[in-house]
Amino acid sequence: MNIFAKTDAQDAEQQVKVRYSHFLHAINLYYLVEIAWGILYENHNNPKLFTIIYINTVFYFIFMLLTMLAWARYIVAYLESDDIRAEIMTGGAWFAFIAGLICLMFNRFYHFIFSYSDDHEYIPESGRHIIYIFLLVFYLGIAIRMFIVSWKSSGRQSVRYRAVAYTSVAFGVFMFLQILASFYPLYVIGLLIGTCVVHSYVEAGEKQEKEIQDKIATVMAEDYIAIYYINVNNGEYLEYAGRQKEFMNMPSSGKDFFAAFKANIEQNAFGEDKGAAESSFTKETMIANLEGRRSFSCKYRFMVGEEPRFFLVTYMRAGNDKEHIIFYEKDIEDELRAEKKRKESQKKTITFTQIAESLASNYDEIYYVDIATSSYVGYESNNIYGQLEISNSGEDFYAESMSNIPQIIHKQDRDMLIEFMDKDNMISAMESHKVRSIDYRLMVNGRSRYTRMTVRKSSDGTHFIIGVENIDDEIKKEKQHMKALKTEKELARRDELTGTKNKTAYKELEESVQSNIENGMDYLPFALIVCDANNLKEINDTQGHVVGDEYIKESAKLLCNIFKHSPVFRIGGDEFVVFLRGDDYDKKQELMDKLRNQVLKNKESGTGAVLASGIAEYEPEKDSLVSEILDRADRAMYENKQKLKA
């Protein structure tokens, strides 16, 4: 079957091996004629040997040219190159070889390359030098080509390319020395050195790397139920690897994968999934699904015994080979169950936290007071989602409150508040009440503001949770209340300093995106970019907060100018997030390069904003939480920050 034919990569690999063996055969033949010539020439005065010496000399040049031709063909195969440079290299080698053969044919009559005197002494002619110089230039040209390729490569591949380049340099250098000393086997020495380098750094290295790749492929294959290698044109297939599977009855090879898999679906697929699976694994559907994609995956249930289990089916192109696809199946039932359990547990935790934060959002300040010691920690709720930050703490909540009441509480409300906040009174009252509250007026800049204090006990009974909220709006007219509420909402979503969206707006966006993901919607492709303005603290400390604010505004302006079609959020003092979508998402790499290049220019010139940045894309098969994407972008940002500092 055609399925057993090698792929393009395998053909290329085999061609490299064949041409390398041709090169080794060529230099071995050259060694033999070199040795034979040295032995025979010791007796060149013997007329009976002259004809053999002459023929040996002809073969000396033939095999010298053959080593050059074999090396050029090996280089072209090794680079897997079929461009104009490869054609020039191969064509030049063939031209030199054929031209050399023609010259050697006529050399018997016109001594262009070499001749022998009447005493049978070897005389090099001008044509010999031309051949040597051509070989020298040819080898050095190959060396330059390989150095350029190695410079564009990295890792072990770059080392191997350099080894091939140094080998060509060795061939060329010793060819030059051969011109200077005709009777010494200098080119032989160059071939010996070069082949040792190639074998040590190239052939042996690639063999070791191939063994490692095979081991990796074998280990990774153990994770899959089956892996098939399919000829997409004629349907022939071969099972590469897989574990024992009781729900599949497909042969390990066959002439029509699509028919065999369809039969397997009819026999073993879960009833509700049969129709969708049958339509998904036709030849036409699979080819269409791979159009413009590297791979395609889908989930279906197959019956394993009496139990339906989810399997992830993935197929992809076999590298650059457009004729074959790789098809593999993985049992993901256990993974899905574990993920479902994790999400349920996480949802409970998130729900509990959201409830607590929602309750906390009603208060401007919350105090957590130890009943036994009177020590406390004060929290401020900074946004509508109730995220709390520690504002202050102390050793005696009641004593500090009593000292503050005469200074900040309306004089008509002081006595009742003192009575309410007396420690003994509060402990006694909370023994018979779950919740107690008091309304009073707080004096702010000479004006009164109605405030409510609510006291609850913690679930373990060791602390009082005291919430303080501003209820001034509740006693104002409805029109004023609605106006204030509208203004508050608008301001809550806009950063006052930069004009960008703020943390509140980002949280709302995150919740909306998270909801779409959790509801199974095919959410639009997007990416998150996290940016951090460098040296803001240093600027604030040395030049003042006014300059620092200008620096933050420059940072926001830089991001808005580059990511023109995506919203920019300021989520912290010096932190920004960009929600990349639409045209900006399609050009994400170009825009990121533009941002980082501008940052480097600003850093070098000492003017403008310097922002560390990191990007992470939404991967539907991997990501279940928007926060995970933000974390990846944040880690990438910190890596970039370290590079900027370095």
Side-chain angles (χ1 to χ4, degrees):
M1 296 190 301
N2 292 335
I3 188 85
F4 294 107
K6 295 181 178 64
T7 64
D8 292 344
Q10 291 172 320
D11 287 338
E13 183 180 341
Q14 185 62 30
Q15 188 178 50
V16 172
K17 292 180 179 178
V18 170
R19 290 192 176 179
Y20 183 64
S21 68
H22 290 169
F23 172 67
L24 294 179
H25 291 325
I27 62 176
N28 284 331
L29 291 172
Y30 177 74
Y31 292 158
L32 290 175
V33 296
E34 174 72 42
I35 294 169
W37 191 86
I39 295 172
L40 293 171
Y41 193 72
E42 288 293 327
N43 302 291
H44 67 275
N45 292 324
N46 187 343
K48 295 180 181 180
L49 296 176
F50 176 69
T51 301
I52 298 176
I53 293 173
Y54 187 88
I55 294 173
N56 186 272
T57 308
V58 171
F59 277 103
Y60 170 87
F61 283 100
I62 290 175
F63 292 140
M64 177 184 287
L65 291 168
L66 188 60
T67 60
M68 176 271 301
L69 175 61
W71 180 248
R73 284 165 54 80
Y74 167 70
I75 293 297
V76 171
Y78 185 70
L79 291 175
E80 299 183 22
S81 178
D82 56 358
D83 56 10
I84 186 65
R85 289 171 294 191
E87 294 178 2
I88 292 173
M89 184 185 298
T90 307
W94 274 110
F95 173 79
F97 181 73
I98 294 171
L101 292 180
I102 294 172
C103 291
L104 288 168
M105 291 172 58
F106 287 98
N107 189 74
R108 186 71 183 87
F109 311 103
Y110 305 99
H111 304 310
F112 175 69
I113 298 177
F114 68 90
S115 62
Y116 283 91
S117 67
D118 294 338
D119 295 330
H120 300 158
E121 291 183 354
Y122 174 76
I123 302 173
E125 302 293 346
S126 59
R128 169 187 174 274
H129 300 306
I130 293 174
I131 291 175
Y132 285 3
I133 291 171
F134 177 83
L135 293 178
L136 167 63
V137 173
F138 192 80
Y139 283 134
L140 294 181
I142 291 177
I144 293 171
R145 166 79 172 135
M146 295 306 297
F147 278 126
I148 293 173
V149 174
S150 71
W151 180 71
K152 294 180 179 179
S153 305
S154 61
R156 295 181 179 179
Q157 192 61 49
S158 177
V159 173
R160 290 196 283 269
Y161 284 147
R162 288 200 302 273
V164 174
Y166 288 130
T167 299
S168 296
V169 171
F171 293 167
V173 169
F174 281 92
M175 179 58 67
F176 173 74
L177 297 176
Q178 190 72 67
I179 298 173
L180 303 178
S182 302
F183 291 93
Y184 293 97
L186 297 174
Y187 185 54
V188 170
I189 296 173
L191 290 174
L192 285 170
I193 294 173
T195 51
C196 288
V197 172
V198 170
H199 195 75
S200 299
Y201 288 92
V202 181
E203 295 300 318
E206 291 197 341
K207 181 180 179 181
Q208 181 184 20
E209 196 167 284
K210 181 65 166 59
E211 291 174 352
I212 294 173
Q213 291 173 351
D214 290 343
K215 290 179 181 177
I216 293 173
T218 302
V219 172
M220 293 182 67
E222 293 178 357
D223 198 33
Y224 297 96
I225 296 297
I227 301 177
Y228 296 100
Y229 185 67
I230 307 166
N231 187 318
V232 75
N233 294 329
N234 57 27
E236 294 177 348
Y237 72 95
L238 176 69
E239 182 181 286
Y240 170 73
R243 295 185 280 119
Q244 190 69 26
K245 47 199 180 299
E246 56 189 61
F247 71 96
M248 295 186 66
N249 299 317
M250 287 181 62
S252 59
S253 63
K255 291 184 175 294
D256 192 342
F257 171 84
F258 307 102
F261 198 71
K262 181 180 179 182
N264 178 59
I265 290 172
E266 292 174 351
Q267 182 175 353
N268 297 301
F270 184 61
E272 296 178 7
D273 294 351
K274 279 187 180 180
E278 287 178 355
S279 62
S280 296
F281 294 107
T282 64
K283 175 181 175 180
E284 294 75 16
T285 303
M286 291 172 66
I287 292 175
N289 287 338
L290 286 175
E291 190 68 32
R293 291 189 179 100
R294 178 71 182 89
S295 65
F296 185 84
S297 299
C298 49
K299 294 193 292 281
Y300 294 99
R301 285 170 290 182
F302 287 88
M303 298 300 298
V304 180
E306 299 297 323
E307 177 192 10
R309 294 180 67 86
F310 270 104
F311 288 81
L312 179 67
V313 180
T314 303
Y315 47 90
M316 63 176 62
R317 296 283 184 186
N320 295 323
D321 179 8
K322 296 184 178 180
E323 186 177 355
H324 296 88
I325 62 175
I326 299 171
F327 181 101
Y328 48 92
E329 298 168 280
K330 183 179 181 181
D331 186 340
I332 59 171
E333 181 66 27
D334 294 337
E335 294 178 14
L336 291 177
R337 289 178 180 176
E339 179 65 15
K340 183 180 179 181
K341 187 175 180 181
R342 186 188 68 81
K343 283 187 175 180
E344 288 176 353
S345 176
Q346 185 181 55
K347 189 174 182 180
K348 290 178 182 178
T349 303
I350 292 174
T351 301
F352 183 80
T353 302
Q354 288 175 337
I355 291 172
E357 290 183 345
S358 296
L359 293 172
S361 66
N362 295 321
Y363 300 100
D364 298 309
E365 283 194 287
I366 295 176
Y367 296 95
Y368 191 63
V369 184
D370 190 301
I371 296 175
T373 66
S374 301
S375 61
Y376 73 96
V377 179
Y379 299 89
E380 285 185 353
S381 178
N382 291 322
N383 56 58
I384 64 172
Y385 295 103
Q387 292 184 339
L388 300 175
E389 294 182 359
I390 295 176
S391 61
N392 60 349
S393 61
E395 297 298 324
D396 193 333
F397 173 78
Y398 303 99
E400 292 183 24
S401 298
M402 293 302 175
S403 64
N404 288 330
I405 286 175
Q407 303 176 34
I408 60 175
I409 304 302
H410 194 283
K411 60 183 181 179
Q412 295 179 358
D413 298 337
R414 291 172 188 171
D415 292 340
M416 72 170 183
L417 188 59
I418 289 173
E419 182 180 358
F420 181 86
M421 294 193 66
D422 179 80
K423 180 177 179 179
D424 294 333
N425 290 344
M426 186 175 290
I427 293 174
S428 176
M430 293 306 297
E431 288 178 354
S432 57
H433 295 81
K434 290 183 178 180
V435 180
R436 287 194 71 211
S437 63
I438 185 173
D439 295 346
Y440 57 92
R441 284 168 289 181
L442 184 70
M443 298 303 297
V444 180
N445 297 325
R447 299 184 63 182
S448 63
R449 187 182 72 186
Y450 277 90
T451 306
R452 176 175 295 153
M453 179 182 294
T454 304
V455 182
R456 292 178 175 87
K457 260 190 181 181
S458 63
S459 58
D460 59 5
T462 60
H463 291 77
F464 287 139
I465 301 172
I466 302 174
V468 179
E469 59 180 313
N470 176 13
I471 61 169
D472 206 46
D473 291 339
E474 294 181 12
I475 56 176
K476 290 182 178 179
K477 293 180 181 180
E478 185 63 24
K479 184 177 179 180
Q480 292 174 326
H481 171 73
M482 295 301 296
K483 181 179 179 181
L485 181 62
K486 181 179 178 181
T487 303
E488 180 185 357
K489 287 183 177 180
E490 291 177 352
L491 293 177
R493 290 160 179 79
R494 182 67 58 182
D495 181 56
E496 184 177 352
L497 178 63
T498 63
T500 63
K501 296 180 181 296
N502 63 9
K503 188 173 183 179
T504 298
Y506 173 75
K507 284 295 181 182
E508 291 177 344
L509 173 66
E510 183 182 85
E511 287 188 352
S512 174
V513 175
Q514 184 66 48
S515 175
N516 288 333
I517 293 174
E518 290 178 351
N519 291 330
M521 298 177 63
D522 290 330
Y523 199 73
L524 54 83
F526 71 91
L528 294 179
I529 298 174
V530 175
C531 297
D532 187 274
N534 282 10
N535 304 322
L536 178 61
K537 185 177 185 306
E538 181 181 345
I539 292 172
N540 285 334
D541 292 343
T542 58
Q543 302 180 50
H545 286 275
V546 174
V547 176
D549 288 348
E550 289 299 316
Y551 188 73
I552 292 173
K553 287 194 277 187
E554 287 182 15
S555 301
K557 184 177 180 182
L558 174 61
L559 293 174
C560 292
N561 287 341
I562 292 178
F563 305 101
K564 296 181 179 179
H565 306 293
S566 299
V568 177
F569 303 82
R570 183 187 177 203
I571 63 170
D574 55 358
E575 294 179 79
F576 296 86
V577 171
V578 183
F579 184 82
L580 217 57
R581 62 188 181 186
D583 291 340
D584 283 359
Y585 176 86
D586 295 336
K587 300 176 182 178
K588 54 185 173 296
Q589 192 55 54
E590 177 185 339
L591 295 174
M592 282 296 290
D593 291 342
K594 183 177 179 181
L595 171 62
R596 289 180 172 175
N597 289 336
Q598 185 61 50
V599 165
L600 289 176
K601 289 179 182 178
N602 292 350
K603 183 180 179 184
E604 291 173 1
S605 65
T607 59
V610 177
L611 291 168
S613 56
I615 184 172
E617 298 178 50
Y618 168 52
E619 301 175 22
E621 297 177 8
K622 174 182 177 183
D623 295 321
S624 59
L625 295 173
V626 179
S627 60
E628 294 174 346
I629 307 169
L630 187 68
D631 288 343
R632 287 206 307 274
D634 193 62
R635 289 193 295 271
M637 182 275 291
Y638 273 105
E639 291 176 6
N640 182 243
K641 186 181 236 4
Q642 295 302 319
K643 291 180 181 179
L644 287 173
K645 289 182 178 180

